[in-house]
Amino acid sequence: QVQLVESGGGLVQAGGSLRLSCAASIRTFMGWFRQASGKEREFVAGITRGGATTYYADSVKGRFTISRDNAKNVVYLQVNTLKPEDTAVYYCAATLGSGSSYDRTDDYRYWGQGTQVTVSS
């Protein structure tokens, strides 16, 4: 059974940083999504199985960095220069596909339980 467990969320002031972690029991293309209250879940970042290629939503480019440590089976999301509009529950997700399509929730089969990120102004 595939398990994804996120951690690292919290309350931070605008301009601050956090590092989110996703412990995964599977090694495949991984993505991070977020869902703000009352809004649809949206793609944030994705990374290929080997970690060589990454993808980002325009809203987070230059501020967020996705990476992975395959020896530990952990995927990270470093979130910097946080803004109040980054407040959301952040989810990691795993797809059994190649990652040719990666920015839709339907592309992913497995999801973690989420970790809350709250940015105060």
Side-chain angles (χ1 to χ4, degrees), residues 13-55:
Q13 289 187 334
S17 299
L18 289 170
R19 189 175 78 160
L20 309 183
S21 299
C22 173
S25 62
I26 187 173
R27 188 175 300 174
T28 184
F29 189 103
M30 298 288 292
W32 282 97
F33 285 72
R34 65 185 181 185
Q35 187 167 19
S37 180
K39 296 187 177 181
E40 292 187 353
R41 195 169 297 189
E42 64 175 1
F43 171 78
V44 174
I47 188 167
T48 53
R49 186 175 185 271
T53 305
T54 57
Y55 305 91

Side-chain angles (χ1 to χ4, degrees), residues 27-31 33 43 45-51 53-56 68 93-104 106-109:
R27 188 175 300 174
T28 184
F29 189 103
M30 298 288 292
F33 285 72
F43 171 78
I47 188 167
T48 53
R49 186 175 185 271
T53 305
T54 57
Y55 305 91
Y56 295 96
R68 66 192 304 159
T95 174
L96 298 182
S98 64
S100 58
S101 179
Y102 56 82
D103 60 355
R104 305 176 309 160
D106 288 349
D107 295 327
Y108 296 82
R109 182 170 180 179

Side-chain angles (χ1 to χ4, degrees), residues 55-101:
Y55 305 91
Y56 295 96
D58 288 343
S59 59
V60 306
K61 279 181 182 176
R63 298 189 299 123
F64 291 11
T65 302
I66 188 171
S67 63
R68 66 192 304 159
D69 183 339
N70 282 340
K72 297 180 180 179
N73 280 350
V74 178
V75 178
Y76 301 101
L77 185 69
Q78 179 69 39
V79 296
N80 297 329
T81 320
L82 282 162
K83 305 175 183 180
E85 52 263 43
D86 294 318
T87 295
V89 178
Y90 284 70
Y91 298 89
C92 68
T95 174
L96 298 182
S98 64
S100 58
S101 179

